[in-house]
């Protein structure tokens, strides 16, 4: 297989790292250090020895050479939204790609060329004026790099597929400091569609196909107060049954927060359509109230889901993938009681399925599972923290004990046992082979990066 060697580690070891000359590396003594190590999750405080801001491939290769010279581990940061802080480390090197954020849309090919540091909000600003869309997450500050490399779903994933399914070409500087282009090595594209987060290299550029953007986004929000866990569970069952039959342009979320259930429906078609109205009828019949539907121009509608700018303290993790309510049956009452007893604790389920199930063969292993749960907790006062962190873990363990084993890599959880299989399923062995090929000295790593294992063939 043809692979272009760009800058080898040994070459880099002998040269003055230009990244250091051009872009001052930040050390704990540097004035900008604390700002640069700030992650979206302000509950985390990690102190790397060096933060190397990199704008392009050459600077990344030199930064990896620098880390190899110093024999320090490398963490990779794009948007800094990792729940568990996998884009920062303690005492190592951080390659910070927040300024590697170019976004160029080519109308002829309808492709988007983007740097991993591009934030989702700015991406929509570039594509929507052309009437195009990259299906991605909704929060404006999330980085395209981390989102894509772990999967990436949002309001349009059922209609078009995951963000990573739209990736057509990718370039990466691997742990040896060599440039790998997926045009030469298709395994890289396979890996970066769901299995590329900080595992064996630094992705420096991505090329995506885009989709037609709907002119408007329809949305309707429902709510119901749930005075008992049994009522919450009943509504959850109604929602799962309704959501299983939704048309693909419709997305839905079920959110249990304290003693309140909120259900969101969005659609790329007008909310007056029969499929949307069927869902509305089911929710109304179940006792959910709504102020009515809104059909707004897409750019305006998306901004409603941009989220808080942060940083803010939280503890979130995957609640697992489900086939339907049957996977939560054994734990649903306990789950609802725990959320009611812990203000600040939220359990949310989002719809997947649709086009995701028909996506390309890739490292993302969960295509057959049409629902994804997320456990969230946010606090305003530090005194609330430990109770909420404990409640998140207890809830996740209870869900695991009920038999839910598959989890979303982009919703990581440090306390998850058997994370290799939970995140990657059958793809893990092949990812281990690629780890040996691209990063045989485990230069690129974080607490749940793909492990080197002897005997796995590259
Ligand atoms: C507020 C919020 C909203 C979210 N909404 C959604 C959503 O709607 N849909 C969804 O699917 N997910 C969502 N997520 C999860 C999100 O997809 C992940 O947190 C994602 O990994 C963040 O990417 P990042 O670049 O911002 O984070 P970072 O912390 O910079 O990186 C995350 C991971 O990716 C690795 N990585 C980053 N860049 C590179 C690179 N260039 N090369 C190699 N590895 C790299 C890092 O090492 C780290 O392991 C949300 C998260 C938050 C906090």
């Amino acid at each position: 297989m043809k692979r272009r060697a760009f800058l080898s580690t040994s070459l880099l070891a002998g040269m003055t790292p230009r990244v250091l000359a051009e872009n001052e590396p930040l050390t704990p003594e540097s004035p900008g250090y604390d700002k640069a190590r700030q992650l979206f999750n302000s509950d985390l405080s990690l102190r790397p020895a060096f933060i190397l801001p990199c704008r392009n491939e050459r600077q990344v290769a030199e930064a990896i050479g620098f880390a190899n010279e110093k024999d320090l581990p490398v963490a990779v940061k794009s948007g800094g939204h990792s729940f568990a802080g996998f884009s920062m480390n303690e005492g190592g090197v951080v390659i910070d790609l927040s300024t590697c954020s170019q976004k160029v849309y080519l109308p002829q090919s309808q492709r988007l060329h983007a740097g991993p540091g591009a934030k989702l909000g700015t991406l929509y600003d570039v594509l929507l004026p052309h009437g195009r869309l990259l299906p991605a997450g909704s929060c404006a500050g999330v980085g395209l790099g981390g989102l894509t490399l772990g999967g990436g779903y949002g309001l349009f994933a059922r209609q078009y597929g995951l963000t990573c399914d739209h990736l057509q070409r990718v370039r990466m500087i691997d742990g040896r400091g060599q440039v790998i282009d997926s045009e030469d090595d298709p395994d890289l594209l396979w890996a970066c569609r769901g299995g590329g987060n900080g595992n064996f290299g630094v992705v420096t550029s991505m090329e995506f196909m885009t989709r037609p953007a709907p002119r408007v986004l329809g949305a309707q929000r429902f709510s119901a107060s749930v005075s008992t866990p049994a009522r919450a569970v009943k509504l959850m069952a109604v929602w799962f049954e309704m959501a299983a039959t939704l048309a693909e342009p419709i997305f839905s979320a079920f959110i249990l927060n304290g003693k309140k259930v909120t259900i969101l429906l969005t659609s790329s078609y007008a909310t007056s359509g029969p499929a949307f109205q069927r869902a509305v009828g089911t929710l109304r019949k179940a006792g959910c109230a709504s102020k009515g539907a809104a059909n707004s121009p897409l750019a305006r509608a998306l901004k409603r889901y941009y989220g808080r700018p942060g940083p803010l303290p939280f503890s979130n993790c995957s609640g697992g993938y489900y086939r339907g309510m049957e996977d939560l049956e054994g734990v649903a009452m306990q789950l609802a009681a725990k959320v009611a007893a812990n203000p600040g604790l939220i359990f949310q389920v989002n719809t997947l399925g649709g086009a995701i199930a028909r996506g390309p063969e890739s490292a993302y292993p969960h295509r057959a599972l049409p629902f994804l749960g997320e456990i969230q907790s946010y606090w305003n006062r530090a005194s609330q923290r430990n109770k909420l962190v404990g409640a998140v873990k207890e809830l996740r363990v209870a869900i695991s004990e009920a038999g839910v084993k598959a989890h979303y890599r982009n919703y990581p959880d440090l306390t998850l046992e058997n994370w290799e299989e939970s995140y990657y399923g059958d793809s893990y062995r092949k990812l281990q082979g690629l780890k040996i090929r691209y990063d045989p000295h485990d230069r690129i790593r974080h607490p749940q990066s793909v492990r080197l294992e002897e005997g796995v063939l590259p």
Side-chain angles (χ1 to χ4, degrees):
M1 191 169 296
K2 188 165 64 121
R3 206 174 310 142
R4 265 174 266 160
F6 184 61
L7 289 171
S8 74
T9 305
S10 52
L11 237 177
L12 286 160
M15 63 196 277
T16 311
R18 261 174 293 171
V19 68
L20 307 187
E22 283 174 14
N23 258 356
E24 196 66 16
L26 299 167
T27 64
E29 292 72 41
S30 310
Y33 175 80
D34 279 331
K35 187 160 181 248
R37 74 186 180 90
Q38 177 70 64
L39 294 170
F40 182 75
N41 185 352
S42 61
D43 189 48
L44 304 168
S45 177
L46 293 159
R47 299 182 67 82
F50 300 96
I51 301 176
L52 302 179
C54 294
R55 277 192 311 276
N56 54 43
E57 206 166 86
R58 178 177 56 76
Q59 291 184 344
V60 169
E62 289 167 355
I64 288 181
F66 174 79
N68 276 326
E69 232 178 280
K70 296 211 170 301
D71 195 20
L72 287 173
V74 172
V76 193
K77 175 171 174 276
S78 283
H81 273 56
S82 167
F83 290 176
F86 290 168
S87 46
M88 205 44 64
N89 61 23
E90 198 62 51
V93 167
V94 169
I95 294 185
D96 180 355
L97 299 158
S98 46
T99 57
C100 185
S101 57
Q102 67 279 9
K103 297 161 288 282
V104 179
Y105 175 69
L106 300 178
Q108 221 167 6
S109 61
Q110 298 184 321
R111 290 211 171 171
L112 171 77
H113 294 247
K119 303 263 171 78
L120 298 188
T122 64
L123 204 72
Y124 296 129
D125 292 344
V126 168
L127 290 175
L128 295 188
H130 295 276
R132 303 298 294 179
L133 182 78
L134 174 65
S138 43
C139 280
V142 170
L144 186 59
L147 180 99
T148 305
L149 297 173
Y153 77 96
L155 305 181
F156 304 99
R158 287 169 47 74
Q159 186 176 7
Y160 290 135
L162 299 169
T163 314
C164 69
D165 298 342
H166 292 74
L167 193 60
Q168 303 297 304
R169 182 179 178 181
V170 59
R171 282 170 73 89
M172 177 182 88
I173 306 294
D174 71 12
R176 303 161 303 171
Q178 295 192 354
V179 68
I180 316 283
D181 189 321
S182 64
E183 295 277 285
D184 305 326
D185 185 347
D187 281 345
L188 180 64
L189 187 60
W190 175 90
C192 288
R193 287 175 168 163
N197 287 69
N199 281 334
F200 27 63
V202 181
V203 167
T204 50
S205 63
M206 299 182 282
E207 189 179 319
F208 295 92
M209 66 166 165
T210 60
R211 303 287 196 156
R215 269 191 326 100
V216 295
L217 185 76
Q220 189 159 354
R221 196 177 283 270
F222 296 82
S223 64
S225 49
V226 284
S227 50
T228 62
R231 170 81 178 125
V233 172
K234 176 90 182 74
L235 273 184
M236 195 189 291
V238 168
W239 179 82
F240 267 111
E241 199 181 330
M242 178 276 292
T245 61
L246 285 175
E248 291 186 2
I250 303 178
F251 163 88
S252 187
F254 172 92
I255 304 145
L256 179 61
N257 184 354
K259 294 186 176 169
K260 186 176 173 193
V261 163
T262 304
I263 292 173
L264 175 67
L265 287 172
T266 68
S267 172
S268 330
Y269 294 113
T271 54
S272 54
F276 199 93
Q277 285 307 315
R278 256 197 312 279
V280 170
T282 304
L283 295 176
R284 284 204 190 283
K285 200 166 150 212
C288 297
S290 169
K291 289 186 181 147
N295 291 282
S296 322
L298 184 62
R300 180 153 27 107
L302 287 178
K303 289 197 167 64
R304 290 203 195 108
Y305 307 105
Y306 272 9
R308 282 159 63 186
L312 46 100
F314 65 89
S315 171
N316 293 3
C317 68
S318 168
Y321 288 89
Y322 323 119
R323 290 167 300 171
M325 183 69 191
E326 66 268 33
D327 286 342
L328 288 173
E329 212 77 71
V331 71
M333 285 292 280
Q334 190 186 343
L335 185 159
K338 197 167 275 299
V339 171
N342 289 282
L345 182 65
I346 299 168
F347 177 70
Q348 176 164 348
V349 188
N350 295 315
T351 50
L352 299 176
I356 299 171
R358 304 186 293 272
E361 208 278 305
S362 73
Y364 181 83
H366 307 299
R367 295 191 183 280
L369 293 163
F371 296 101
L372 173 63
E374 183 184 2
I375 304 168
Q376 309 172 30
S377 69
Y378 304 91
W379 52 90
N380 300 318
R381 292 190 306 278
S383 57
Q384 301 166 303
R385 179 195 181 275
N386 289 352
K387 186 169 182 243
L388 280 168
V389 170
V392 167
K393 178 159 184 225
E394 283 164 23
L395 191 47
R396 213 264 303 133
V397 169
I399 292 173
S400 285
E401 284 172 358
V404 171
K405 299 290 177 224
H407 289 277
Y408 182 29
R409 163 58 186 86
N410 270 354
Y411 290 170
D413 177 356
L414 274 170
T415 68
L416 191 63
E417 286 164 18
N418 201 9
W419 55 264
E420 298 90 335
E421 201 183 333
S422 299
Y423 296 152
Y424 299 119
D426 290 344
S427 298
Y428 191 68
R429 291 296 276 179
K430 180 163 172 183
L431 288 170
Q432 283 192 299
L434 294 178
K435 175 79 177 175
I436 291 175
R437 201 198 297 177
Y438 298 142
D439 187 24
H441 303 295
D442 200 18
R443 181 62 52 213
I444 316 289
R445 61 183 188 261
H446 57 70
Q448 291 178 340
S449 51
V450 168
R451 303 286 190 247
L452 282 170
E453 196 193 315
E454 279 175 31
V456 176
L457 291 174

